[in-house]
Amino acid sequence: MVGHDSWSGESLKALVHKTLEETGTDRIGSFWHPINGSSMTEISAQWIPLGSFTFTRSDIYSSAWCESMVGVEHLVGGAWGGPILTLAEGFVHVFRASGGELAHWKWKNGRVIAMGWSNRQEAVLVTEDGSVFVFSILGELTSAFTMGPEAKDLKITSARVFNTAFGTGIAVLTTAKRFFVVNNIVEPRVRKMVDLDLSTEVQPRAWSVLTDDRQARILVAHGSEVRVISPNEQFVAACTTDAVPKGNVQQIAVSVSGEQFAVSFEDGRLWLGTLETKFCHAQMTKAAMGGMDIVWCADKAVIGFDKNAVMCHLVTIEGQQEDLFLTNYLTAVPELDGIRVMSLSGQEFIHQVPDPLLDTFSIGSVGPGAMLRLATDEFYHRSHKANDYVKLVEAQLEEAVLNCIECATYLFDPLLQKEMLRAAQFGKSFLKGASSTSDKFTHMCVTLRVLNALRNYKVGIPLTIDQYNHLTPEVVIDRLLSQRLYALAFQLCNALKLPQHLGECRVLAHWACYKVSKDGEEDNQVARDISQRLGSQSQISYCDIAAKAAESGKKELAVKLLEHETRISKQVPLLVKLGKESTALMKALNSGNRDLAFTVILHVRRTLDSARFSFLIRKFPLAKVLYVGFCADNDPEALEEWFIQEDDFTSLAQFSFKRAYDSGTMDQRLSHLHNAVENWRKCKMEGYANMAEENQKLLKQQSVLEDKVQQTLVGKTLNQTIFDLLTSNETKLADKLRNDFKMSDKRYMFFRVKALAKTQKWPEIKKLAKQKRQPLSTVSIVRLVREFGGDAQAKEFLNDEFLSPNERFDTYAEFGMFFEAAQAAFVAKSLESLNALETMSMGRDDVIRAISNFKTRLLTK
Amino acid sequence: MIQFDLLRDLARRELLDHLDKYAGTKVLVWDEGLTAPLDLIAKHSVLRERQVDKMVPLKAGRLPVDLGQFDNVVFMVRPDVHLMDAVADNVQREESAHGTRAEFHIMFVPQRSLLCEMRLKEKEVFGSFTFLDELSLFWFPLDIDVISMENRSVFRDYHLNDDPTCLNRVAKGILALQSVFGVIPKVYGKGPAARQVYEFMVQMRKESIAHENPVIGKIDSLIIIDRQIDLITPFLTQLTYEGLIDETFGIKFNSVRLPAHKFKAPDSPNDDFDDPDPFEMKTIPLHSGEDMFCELRDKNFNAVGPTLSKKAKYVSSQFEERHEAKTVQELKSFVDKLPQMKILKQSLSIHTTIAELVKKATDDRRFLENLQVEQELVNFQNADRPLDYLEDACCHEEEIVKVLRLICLQNVVNSGVKPKILEHYRRLILQTYGYKHLLTLQSLERLGLLNLQSQVSRNYPVLRKRLNLTMDDTDEQDPSDIAYVHSVYAPLSVRLVQNFAHPGWQSIKDVLELLPGPTVAETQNVPANLKKVKDENHQATTLVLFVGGCTFAEISALRFLSQREESNTEFLVATTALINGDTFVESLMTQVDDNLAPRFV
């Protein structure tokens, strides 16, 4: 066990710092410096061909800091070039993969049984009582939950943190030999697996989690058997049914894909396969793998590591074996495409050699990439052989270029990358016409710069190209943000040309959120810094930043930041939350967004006392309009109250008037009308008050008249009422009503005639029609007569006795008496009328003749 | 050239995307206000393909279908709080009747609304909905050059109720248009609503500029006309073919309903046996897709007769050709033309019938008298005539909208009426149509449509003179000025647009100052790569947006301007609603129901 001081954060930092100075890579974005400057020819020298696979070891980081880790019991590295989590001497530490400390904190939550990293790069620690703690990479507790009462009461003996495509899960084994699983720590729902059907009392030791499905299953060893258990079933896995001498299972390991697993037995046998298929069943050539940690290497092989040996042992799924030198292994992190191993000899990556490299770097390879590389070499040595090599690959030049580009991406040493890119560039110059290689070339150059920047000591995220592609740039940016590497993240977004909302804007927003939650700076300064950096980009939500500030208890800062928000719909709710109701209401109203305005109005109606509410609403005319509209639909009583309180007599008058018509009884109606009249008077709208009063008067009179004439009058208009009275021969009553309501003479006469016509009193109509200074034109009278008495009655009136000279033409024409009309027109000397008549009487030859006769007479006069 | 059909395709896609989301069979419960407009974007057959097996109108009570057979119930509604009560009632009843397996969804057209959602929560059905969606259908593409929001309450909401939130949706609509046809670089407008719409547009664009669709601009300018600046035009009777069909029968969403028996072919055999049902109505589509209608719609009605008879002669001469066809080739070319001829013949017969029906209405004595009064009003003749005519109309209980329409026209032309006349008109309305119209009178007064003449100088005479609003000598057959749409009067709104196109608003600054509200003349930033590419004949495209509605006559007048030979501007029309005097007045009236039970029955 190494002493606490020797690997504490302080000394480590100094160490890393030294390393950086030595290598001179203190500029973010510069290429990562290789540990042993390997050259092209050495590439294949390290290859380990095994059956149809070729493996290789690539050094990643120097060994310097690994020494301090020897003997640390809890040490877990995160996948995807993730950080390292350790627990020792009561402290939890998080280190970058390259060694720098990211965080440390005192551990006081009980005995830790297992640790691991989540998919989102959070540190997960499981304690003896089944409690699970999730920390951000910088040591902030983000969530905690428990694996259920049994785990809590009986304690657990072992636990696993596992990652699947759907999330990060936890599996625990209690002292009662029962398994409990949480499939996703984001929504922790504890599931109990079926009880193990065990023949011994021994606590199962070797077990692992199979994650080929959304629901994880447990692989657990029982003697020489391996059982698969899920929440509702258990069965014996195929690997133990093989007819081979039995020995107890020592270890079970599941691959990154979650499907393949390896089982090692006491007698030194190793079984590799899936639930359905067996890949191989090998007897170890060397010492039994019994005491070794077995780890999958990208679904193609497993490697057994022994802390005390100087070798590790690689077995492919075809059963081929090989020993590799490795001193003082510390931990191994299974990755998508290999294993990252930390040992005293440094940090290295054991992986299969990618195909492009195999094609290009195999000894004696004549692949197009290899030829192009040679050609380039010769060219830069100014040798004529360059031409020969180019000739050789001429036909496959494009393939050769692509091959070289791909090789570059798989190489870790920037010098080698450059060399391959140079070869690609050289080959490209021979390609004619447009080609996709150019785009690919540029794209790869950018990607390589990004990868190299990430692999830099200061950052310490050693991703391979395959891991990077699988992870996607957005997630990589996320990881940088969680480490608060804002400047680097910003530059990467820029280089990768990520869309603003995923890229630069997101980084700036994170930065701003961090800045506002940090203590120690003056509000005004912070607000100024942020607005200077962010500008008025509408893609950045000042609101989210302000919300963060509010969360950290900095209300004033939040309000200041909100001033920069362009999206009113986001700004308003937060303003309300911050207690700035008046500003919120003003902004919401100005935006014209109805919903937003109501959000505020209804909020203040709920939260403020009535005096403050009214005061606020009163300030804004539109708020009044909206509130009144809302009340009209939902709360008529509140509406009346509001009008009264606001002395809004016009609205009150209208309100009462509407109510009058709503009410079902005469008394109610009259009383509401009375209110309306009063209110109109109060706001000096005499005209409307008088009209409403007339309405009252009419209702009262109708109601009295109804009793007299025994028919319905209430609800009828004045016109109808008078007509009804006239029809029932109540001329006196009608006369009085007409005087009371100042009905015009013409209209009254119309209804008189109409009533007479309806009751067929023709002589009376004639008497009226002959009256002098008659308000109603004779034509109107004749029309009414025809309506009720037909043409025959109408004829009686169609003569010069009733029609005044200037009525004659129109009336005769209207009633089809064309000869009379022509005569009248002639008398009136109107050529125009005659012409009009001519078109009207189309087809009546006799009339036409008469008209033309009149016309000639008029014209010759 | 821009065609608004594109909007229909977009809306249809959005609708179908939503429908696809609700897996399985569906019942569609329609808000009846949406039936016709949605029919414009997706025909029933298209919906049926998406497993919409049944469609029922929205009504309170149980749904008239057996829900056991359906997987989904989709409510399609406008965001109107009152409709939510019916929706809630439906859901509650279905859920309490039997634990239905159908899922409920609600689709708001065009926007969700907080108040609606609140009402659903109040009724405790909010949680019953699986999906709450928006069908962002701001515009109904009525024709290739006309889109409408079909919202008749905009003028009332803004000018009477002082509620500008309705204009927020108009601005949103314009932004939606811009996301399809590109940002419009120049924005002009007149009137308070125009200014407000523009301000909302600016604010919204600022908020969403990052997500702006990079579309190359297709429209050069936008002119926003607040209906308030021209309140004369809507009150005048439209005299174009389409306008008159609308005035007499009412056009709703590109179709008109007319008595079916008028359209039966005279030689159809059934006629001898069955008396045609006089109440059966036939829906006749009116769309520019039909060549004949396209030619007739914008003509003055007096030119429709001659055009139809010319067409008739042409059709019969074409049919005559078959006798002259001697060679096989000639015969073949005749046969090839037959289908087209048949369509033409059918069109001809339909429009002859419609024209006859319209003619009957326009020959009516009262129609002619009314028209005469209108024309005298805009020409300042016979000042006493309206009173006399209206008294008469009231005796005969003419529809109230017609009476109010003329009163409003007189009021607008004269900037108010004299106290005595005001008194008289009010009494006329209240005594003839009931005192419940008192609130309507108050609204009209607030809007300046029936009020006391003020001492301030009257605008109309100046406008009339400066903008040549009235013409005595329009040629209705072959017009040379937009005045033909009302025979004697050129719509003020369109005259402003005409002046805008040539010689520009600078020259009528004094006139613009007479009109209410501010003038808008602004430029919107357009990224250089998205600027409109000038076509070779330098045709400019201008979108005219009417806030508060426009009439068919105004659209015809704008089309007339587009089609004039010397014109280099193509006008497109967007409006909050298509209106005519009747519907406009109706939208301003306050409905008051009389709930007093009569004593004698």
Side-chain angles (χ1 to χ4, degrees), chain B residues 223 467 494-508 542 561 564 566-569 571:
Chain B
I223 305 180
L467 296 174
V494 184
R495 190 62 104 203
L496 287 177
V497 174
Q498 185 181 9
N499 269 286
F500 169 82
H502 181 84
W505 274 3
Q506 273 302 321
S507 60
I508 50 163
T542 297
L561 291 181
R564 275 206 311 191
E566 71 270 24
S567 152
N568 57 354
T569 310
F571 291 103

Side-chain angles (χ1 to χ4, degrees), chain B residues 1 37 112 134 140 172 188 230 232 252 267 279 309 327 340 344 347 376 403 423 428 431 445 487 502 537 551 553 591:
Chain B
M1 193 190 130
R112 288 169 73 154
E134 277 180 356
F140 297 104
K172 240 187 195 156
Y188 299 87
D230 173 13
I232 297 174
K252 281 197 186 117
D267 49 352
F279 298 109
S309 75
T327 66
Q340 257 177 298
L344 193 62
S347 276
E376 284 168 359
V403 173
E423 177 104 341
L428 201 56
Q431 295 184 349
E445 180 174 9
S487 284
H502 181 84
N537 46 9
T551 65
Q591 291 307 327

